[in-house]
Amino acid sequence: MNERPEESNKGPAADSLLPIDEHIEEGRDAEGRKVRHRGIYLLPNLFTTANLFAGFYSIVSAINGNLDVAAATVFVAMVLDSLDGRVARLTNTQSAFGAEYDSLSDMVAFGLAPAILAFEWALGSMGKVGWMVAFIYVAGAALRLARFNTQIGKADKRFFIGLASPAAAGVVAGIVWAFNDFGVQGSNISSLVALLVAAAGMLMVSNIKYYSFKDLDLKGRVPFVAILVVVLLFAVVFSDPPRILLLIFLAYAISGPVQYLLQWRRKRAG
């Protein structure tokens, strides 16, 4: 008897010698036809992996008591997070895998890392209330990222709905970095820290709009004075990173509620 193996048994996994399934992603070409892509893009995912590592390193540093290093690493993660998406768009290497990987990395770097940092510095002294506040922030970051993923391609790119998780992480990490650098013990201002951490978590899941800066044209020509402004901005930030970064992210976090209240007053007056 001459039998032939079924075609359904043949596939990428059967051909692979590695004990890891090959990633296959379905998409559409320029003419709208379905196409299947094998593998992942390396360059943007390298930046995403670096972002994930920065978040992990921040957590380890916070647990080991290196709070300044942990806080600074959160800001390093922000730079890496801003690069992976831009690199993907510039090199035309966007993918569904990259988008999901980026969200998971953001959850570690901007969800878990700031919460553990705040808990190790101040919230731990509050007992159960402290870890509950930390969890509110973590849950807010998770819900924010999940909602953001479902709104891709539907929401106005000029605005974020709710405070973006990197900005919320900047507020929390900035508080720890700035006050710890002054020698302030977190347990002495634990109530204030708890209020700010919980507020950051709630703002992430709010419907308050924040300007996203995504409509800025970074490839077009600008007046020469623009580069002087950028140089001045770098000089100001590096003159006192903990305090300047905290002020920048606090101002951005407050800008959303302020704009919301102003619009609400105008509607009532109208």
Side-chain angles (χ1 to χ4, degrees):
M1 184 179 290
N2 187 16
E3 295 184 355
R4 298 178 62 186
E6 295 181 3
E7 293 296 327
S8 59
N9 292 333
K10 294 182 180 181
D15 296 335
S16 177
L17 297 177
L18 295 175
I20 302 174
D21 287 344
E22 181 62 89
H23 175 69
I24 298 178
E25 189 172 306
E26 290 189 354
R28 294 186 180 274
D29 60 14
E31 298 178 359
R33 295 173 299 186
K34 282 188 177 182
V35 293
R36 302 181 76 190
H37 301 285
R38 185 190 297 268
I40 62 174
Y41 295 111
L42 181 61
L43 185 58
N45 289 312
L46 282 177
F47 285 98
T48 305
T49 303
N51 176 27
L52 176 62
F53 176 78
F56 173 76
Y57 187 77
S58 175
I59 292 172
V60 173
S61 298
I63 293 173
N64 289 333
N66 300 321
L67 301 178
D68 288 347
V69 173
T73 308
V74 171
F75 290 101
V76 173
M78 289 182 200
V79 176
L80 296 169
D81 179 59
S82 66
L83 289 175
D84 60 2
R86 294 186 183 279
V87 168
R89 287 188 291 271
L90 288 173
T91 56
N92 196 26
T93 53
Q94 304 101 313
S95 66
F97 174 88
E100 296 299 327
Y101 187 30
D102 180 62
S103 291
L104 292 172
S105 300
D106 287 354
M107 183 60 207
V108 174
F110 309 129
L112 287 173
I116 292 175
L117 175 61
F119 184 83
E120 291 292 327
W121 182 61
L123 300 180
S125 63
M126 302 179 70
K128 292 183 178 180
V129 174
W131 65 255
M132 286 175 61
V133 170
F135 177 72
I136 288 173
Y137 178 89
V138 172
L143 293 169
R144 168 71 177 82
L145 290 167
R147 184 175 66 176
F148 177 79
N149 288 344
T150 62
Q151 293 176 339
I152 293 177
K154 302 176 183 178
D156 189 347
K157 291 185 178 181
R158 296 175 301 168
F159 299 97
F160 292 128
I161 305 300
L163 183 63
S165 57
V171 172
V172 177
I175 291 168
V176 177
W177 195 6
F179 283 92
N180 188 65
D181 189 60
F182 270 136
V184 178
Q185 295 293 324
S187 57
N188 295 335
I189 56 171
S190 57
S191 297
L192 175 61
V193 175
L195 179 63
L196 291 173
V197 171
M202 296 305 294
L203 283 173
M204 281 190 283
V205 296
S206 70
N207 289 326
I208 295 175
K209 289 185 177 182
Y210 285 87
Y211 184 53
S212 67
F213 300 99
K214 288 186 177 182
D215 59 345
L216 293 179
D217 184 10
L218 299 179
K219 295 183 291 185
R221 291 180 178 271
V222 296
F224 179 75
V225 70
I227 193 64
L228 298 180
V229 173
V230 173
V231 171
L232 179 62
L233 180 62
F234 273 105
V236 171
V237 170
F238 282 98
S239 66
D240 191 358
R243 261 71 66 180
I244 299 300
L245 289 173
L246 173 59
L247 289 175
I248 290 173
F249 283 100
L250 267 180
Y252 180 73
I254 295 171
S255 68
V258 169
Q259 289 294 326
Y260 178 83
L261 290 174
L262 290 176
Q263 291 177 0
W264 179 74
R265 286 189 62 185
R266 281 197 291 266
K267 288 181 180 179
R268 286 195 63 185

